[in-house]
Amino acid sequence: MRCEWANSSKEMQAYHDNEWGKPSHDERYFFEMLTLEGAQAGLSWSTIIKRRQTYRQAYDNFEIDKVAAFDQSKRDDLLQDKGIIRNHLKVDSSISNAKLIQSMHDNNKKFSDYIWKFVDNKPIINHYSDMEEMPAQTELSQIISKDLKKKGFRFVGPTIIYSFLQAVGVINDHLDNCDFK
């Protein structure tokens, strides 16, 4: 059995079964999930998951240094790419967020370490029996969101950050009856 939200498509099932809630420290994956979660704002996750391969192509497999170097021409190309969400605020934020992560790297810091320090490097494993119990945001996601915004990150509201934390495994919200808990 898997969490009910994951049953809408094979892509959703694969994401749920292989990624969601599984702790990661991979910088590229963190950037990918931050970008995709930001792109999701106002949309469904299934809309984004269906476009994930196109996103990977458009964003050079989410290689942080490559995205940080995107110029106006590449930005314009992204805004014409029908395979991604062509919202200029979301596209611009993904490029500026890459630059901020790159700056962290330049200072010998990892974005994933920055995020994991908020939970002392220990994933939060919640116990819910129903999706209705799961919050859209928490005090933790509010704290991280506020800190990210202070650093200049965009599209990092507390709801986006809560989903991001689930995606990278800082929070495990698989339902208690889920085989992938």
Side-chain angles (χ1 to χ4, degrees):
M1 173 170 247
R2 65 175 51 93
C3 300
E4 60 195 60
W5 63 263
N7 292 320
S8 63
S9 71
K10 288 184 185 208
E11 294 93 354
M12 292 286 279
Q13 288 175 358
Y15 171 71
H16 170 276
D17 298 357
N18 301 311
E19 297 177 60
W20 193 68
K22 292 191 180 355
S24 174
H25 294 269
D26 180 86
E27 289 292 284
R28 188 209 58 78
Y29 184 70
F30 263 63
F31 176 58
E32 177 179 8
M33 289 297 106
L34 186 67
T35 301
L36 295 178
E37 292 292 351
Q40 180 199 353
L43 305 168
S44 71
W45 185 242
S46 62
T47 297
I48 301 304
I49 282 292
K50 287 176 189 170
R51 291 175 160 86
R52 190 173 189 186
Q53 288 309 317
T54 306
Y55 264 96
R56 284 180 173 164
Q57 291 169 351
Y59 279 86
D60 289 330
N61 202 34
F62 293 98
E63 295 293 334
I64 296 162
D65 291 339
K66 289 182 180 180
V67 177
F70 283 1
D71 59 11
Q72 185 65 39
S73 175
K74 180 63 176 175
R75 176 193 177 272
D76 293 344
D77 290 346
L78 289 171
L79 291 173
Q80 297 303 313
D81 189 333
K82 294 180 181 174
I84 68 169
I85 305 305
R86 297 177 292 164
N87 175 302
H88 73 92
L89 296 174
K90 292 178 180 183
V91 168
D92 290 347
S93 73
S94 64
I95 298 167
S96 66
N97 289 347
K99 290 177 182 178
L100 291 167
I101 294 171
Q102 182 185 53
S103 177
M104 293 174 85
H105 292 174
D106 291 345
N107 290 303
N108 295 313
K109 296 179 180 169
K110 290 178 64 179
F111 181 60
S112 60
D113 289 346
Y114 159 78
I115 295 294
W116 277 103
K117 80 173 171 67
F118 284 97
V119 295
D120 294 324
N121 295 309
K122 295 177 191 128
I124 295 170
I125 301 170
N126 290 317
H127 296 279
Y128 301 120
S129 57
D130 188 278
M131 294 297 293
E132 300 297 317
E133 298 173 42
M134 203 175 298
Q137 59 179 273
T138 60
E139 184 178 341
L140 174 64
S141 72
Q142 293 166 2
I143 289 167
I144 295 172
S145 170
K146 185 176 181 181
D147 201 60
L148 284 167
K149 287 177 182 177
K150 197 165 57 174
K151 292 181 182 312
F153 284 84
R154 300 187 335 218
F155 274 87
V156 291
T159 301
I160 289 171
I161 291 304
Y162 192 77
S163 294
F164 167 74
L165 296 173
Q166 292 171 313
V168 298
V170 171
I171 294 174
N172 182 334
D173 274 346
H174 285 281
L175 298 178
D176 287 338
N177 66 352
C178 178
D179 294 336
F180 298 88
K181 182 85 174 167

